[in-house]
Structures are given as structure tokens and as C-alpha cells.
Amino acid sequence: QVQLVESGGGSVQVGGSLRLSCAASGSILNINTMAWYRQHPENGRELVAEISGGGTTDYLDSVKGRFTISRDNVKNTVYLQMNDLKPEDTAVYYCRMYVLNRYYTRNHYWGQGTQVTVSS
């Protein structure tokens, strides 16, 4: 079994910064893509940023230049550095990882979600 545990959410004012972390544990052989999604109360879940096993990154247009995704393959952890936060960034943020487990099968796993609230 694989577990993803997120941390780092909270409340900040407009223009502030937060750093989210998501650590995977369990029967892990390899992790390919790591990603962050977010969900606003009235909308579906959207992809915010992702990073491939080789380090290639991609971002939602509205966060380009403000958010940075990174990974630590030794710690099986993905990070999301969020700068210059805006009220529209308020959402529950979820991490997702594509994991090769000890049974040599690949599955997507989700974190539990962490709330980010940006106030003006």
C-alpha cells in the first residue's frame, strides 16, 4: 500500500507565499509523474503543476511565474512553492503521484488535500 501525506497549507494575505509538501511512503519502487491539483468549492479539480520523472515541468497558465513545482526522489516528496498568492488561488490542494509498487503495477495515488486560503 502507498500513502501520500500533505502538509504546508494555511491562510495568507494577498501577495504572500506558502510551500506545500507531499511525501509518499509504503511499497514504492519508483515514482514517475508527480503533480498538484486544486479544487474550488464550485468547480471540479484542476491540474496546477506537474513534474515528470525526468524533471520536466508544466503549469496551469494562471500560476506560471508564481508557482514552482519540484521533487526529491530520495525522499519521495513533491513540493509546490507558491508566491504572490491571489484570492483566486484559494482552494483545497491535492497531490497525486504515479507509483510503481512492489507488485510491479502502476497506480495513481492521491493525498488527503490541504486547504489554502488567500485573503485580501
Side-chain angles (χ1 to χ4, degrees):
Q1 189 64 288
V2 175
Q3 299 83 36
L4 273 57
V5 178
E6 302 177 26
S7 60
S11 298
V12 295
Q13 292 189 325
V14 170
S17 298
L18 284 173
R19 188 191 195 211
L20 306 183
S21 300
C22 174
S25 63
S27 302
I28 300 168
L29 294 181
N30 177 263
I31 304 176
N32 194 344
T33 302
M34 298 180 176
W36 288 96
Y37 287 72
R38 67 186 181 189
Q39 186 163 14
H40 302 95
E42 65 279 8
N43 296 332
R45 199 168 292 188
E46 64 179 355
L47 177 63
V48 176
E50 64 180 356
I51 183 167
S52 71
T56 301
T57 58
D58 195 19
Y59 295 92
L60 181 69
D61 283 347
S62 62
V63 308
K64 286 181 180 177
R66 300 188 296 122
F67 290 12
T68 302
I69 188 170
S70 61
R71 63 189 288 164
D72 184 327
N73 293 325
V74 174
K75 296 181 179 180
N76 289 331
T77 299
V78 62
Y79 306 95
L80 185 68
Q81 177 66 44
M82 305 185 292
N83 298 328
D84 190 21
L85 283 160
K86 303 177 180 182
E88 52 265 39
D89 296 319
T90 296
V92 178
Y93 284 71
Y94 298 88
C95 61
R96 188 178 86 158
M97 297 188 188
Y98 193 40
V99 178
L100 175 68
N101 62 32
R102 64 175 177 154
Y103 302 106
Y104 290 91
T105 59
R106 292 187 183 274
N107 291 291
H108 284 111
Y109 295 90
W110 289 91
Q112 80 281 8
T114 186
Q115 176 70 45
V116 171
T117 302
V118 184
S119 58
S120 56

